[in-house]
Amino acid sequence: MQKLCHQVGIAILALFLAGCTKTEQPAQHFSTVDITNSPWGKGFRLTDHHGAERRLEDFKGKAVVVFFGYTNCPDMCPMTMHKLAMAMEGLGQEAQQVQVIFVTLDPKRDTPSILRQYVPAFHPTFLGMYADEHTTDATAKEFKVFYKHQTPDTSGFYTVDHMGPSYVFDPQGRLRLFISHEHPVDAIVQDLRTLLKG
Amino acid sequence: MKRFATAATILVFLVPSASTMAASPKPATQAAPSGYDSPVITDAWARATVPGQPVGAGYMKITSHTTVVLEAAVSDVAKEVQVHNMHMHEGVMQMRKHGQLELPAGKTVELAPGGMHLMLLGLKKPLKVGEEVSMTLTFTDKQGTKTSTVVILPVRPIGQ
């Protein structure tokens, strides 16, 4: 009985120490915007460019970077995709623990066939994702991404006004970071490393 | 004497003008068959694109000695070329067709990333780094006289 009490005592002490260790862990510092505990951006349910239905939960264990854009965007979208690809290069081996997702805000023109060419051209592991217009709208709202399709011109071409942030989930599937177009590659690499360390 | 003074004035005006031209970067234009001096175009380039990307963007600096408008731009690599203007408004990226681009006499108009650009719509194939895009720009002055200029835009990497 004394031995049992001793063991329980050690277990309680271990739990107490574990708790102390956790509370003493230094707060994580980020160069991009820390949006931990935001009540929105809980997840998504979209189709990837291979035709498979994907949810945020499918990527548990990886940091997930989600960027909203459209392929008829000549400037900011390819620049952001390129920047995220550079971040993957900067991460080296750790890039295997990161999934970058491009969500189209223009599913009418960005067909799976277009996304299959466009998205992996920046980095072979990147996934393009799409949904019908209703789900695209709901997903953008969930992430507070404003977008608006403009009226087509005589040739049928139209642009899409949109916000250009990328969002980062940690490997536990919690929304953590907001990356704007102004954040440099180094900041993204550093913050992803911090998230992966946990 | 008056005639001499006028001639001297013209000479004074022309000499610095000629030296300025010599010091400026090599124009990206080729032939310029026209009734007036064709606008001088420098620093022309296009950004590389990836497969599946339907659009591209071209940038340059244009200086015209006479007030003209850019009436049309065509290129073999795209179905259509339009002048677009892009700007950020409260975090939202907005891109609009600019319409006719006016080039006031003597003023350099810059088409640059994040602002005005020549939008290449319906790209026929991806633009690869190291390749060149040929574009014909047609300008019209106030009298309606047209001049066409061929511009060569070297393709630069996406990150630029």
Side-chain angles (χ1 to χ4, degrees):
Chain A
M1 183 63 192
Q2 197 183 2
K3 194 178 175 189
L4 181 67
C5 281
H6 184 66
Q7 282 175 341
V8 170
I10 288 175
I12 290 170
L13 184 67
L15 279 172
F16 176 74
L17 285 175
C20 286
T21 310
K22 201 167 187 182
T23 49
E24 280 168 10
Q25 192 179 17
Q28 290 172 313
H29 293 288
F30 299 104
S31 302
T32 61
V33 185
D34 187 345
I35 52 167
T36 305
N37 296 327
S38 296
W40 42 273
K42 294 295 178 196
F44 54 80
R45 198 188 190 98
L46 301 159
T47 307
D48 75 17
H49 67 239
H50 300 297
E53 190 176 281
R54 307 302 286 263
R55 296 170 308 158
L56 175 65
E57 299 87 288
D58 298 340
F59 302 97
K60 205 157 188 177
K62 285 187 174 186
V64 176
V65 184
V66 182
F67 170 62
F68 293 82
Y70 69 114
T71 68
N72 272 278
C73 162
D75 206 308
M76 195 166 79
C77 302
M79 295 285 275
T80 302
M81 292 291 279
H82 178 73
K83 194 157 76 174
L84 294 174
M86 290 295 101
M88 293 293 272
E89 296 300 323
L91 281 167
Q93 288 290 314
E94 287 168 284
Q96 291 171 9
Q97 295 167 261
V98 177
Q99 178 63 58
V100 174
I101 294 169
F102 172 88
V103 180
T104 178
L105 294 169
D106 187 15
K108 204 190 287 180
R109 285 184 297 188
D110 292 345
T111 60
S113 151
I114 294 277
L115 291 174
R116 266 199 299 276
Q117 295 174 68
Y118 180 85
V119 180
F122 292 96
H123 192 277
T125 65
F126 286 7
L127 278 174
M129 294 210 190
Y130 64 97
D132 58 36
E133 286 180 40
H134 175 75
T135 308
T136 301
D137 208 35
T139 309
K141 279 200 176 81
E142 174 64 18
F143 284 88
K144 300 197 179 295
V145 171
F146 170 84
Y147 77 108
K148 190 175 190 307
H149 288 208
Q150 295 302 302
T151 310
D153 65 13
T154 48
S155 65
F157 180 80
Y158 58 90
T159 60
V160 181
D161 289 359
H162 71 109
M163 296 170 90
S166 304
Y167 292 106
V168 187
F169 290 88
D170 66 18
Q172 288 76 45
R174 294 173 300 199
L175 183 60
R176 302 294 302 276
L177 302 173
F178 171 101
I179 304 173
S180 90
H181 68 282
E182 285 165 351
H183 289 124
V185 174
D186 291 349
I188 301 170
V189 171
Q190 187 189 320
D191 285 1
L192 283 170
R193 284 211 166 110
T194 305
L195 277 187
L196 291 173
K197 275 181 199 151
Chain B
M1 181 59 192
K2 193 181 172 187
R3 184 178 290 173
F4 173 75
T6 308
T9 308
I10 292 168
L11 193 66
V12 168
F13 175 72
L14 281 176
V15 168
S17 170
S19 63
T20 309
M21 286 295 291
S24 64
K26 192 187 167 197
T29 48
Q30 287 184 333
S34 67
Y36 54 92
D37 281 345
S38 197
V40 176
I41 297 173
T42 60
D43 304 302
W45 64 282
R47 183 180 292 115
T49 64
V50 297
Q53 187 177 332
V55 296
Y59 308 100
M60 60 188 67
K61 290 176 185 168
I62 312 175
T63 312
S64 180
H65 302 292
T66 317
T67 296
V68 293
V69 291
L70 173 63
E71 193 182 80
V74 290
S75 175
D76 287 345
V77 301
K79 279 186 197 156
E80 200 178 336
V81 182
Q82 296 179 350
V83 179
H84 278 225
N85 197 5
M86 198 179 85
H87 71 281
M88 292 290 281
H89 178 68
E90 293 177 356
V92 178
M93 197 272 281
Q94 300 181 334
M95 188 168 68
R96 298 286 183 273
K97 194 171 172 179
H98 186 273
Q100 275 192 330
L101 178 67
E102 189 173 334
L103 301 151
K107 191 184 166 202
T108 299
V109 173
E110 190 169 358
L111 308 181
M116 272 200 289
H117 55 273
L118 289 161
M119 181 87 169
L120 301 156
L121 299 177
L123 278 183
K124 293 172 186 170
K125 62 184 181 72
L127 305 180
K128 290 183 184 165
V129 176
E131 291 181 355
E132 290 178 335
V133 171
S134 173
M135 197 183 281
T136 304
L137 304 181
T138 303
F139 302 92
T140 310
D141 69 1
K142 284 176 181 167
Q143 284 71 45
T145 310
K146 291 182 183 182
T147 178
S148 287
T149 303
V150 177
V151 190
I152 301 298
L153 297 88
V155 179
R156 293 190 194 166
I158 295 176
Q160 292 192 19

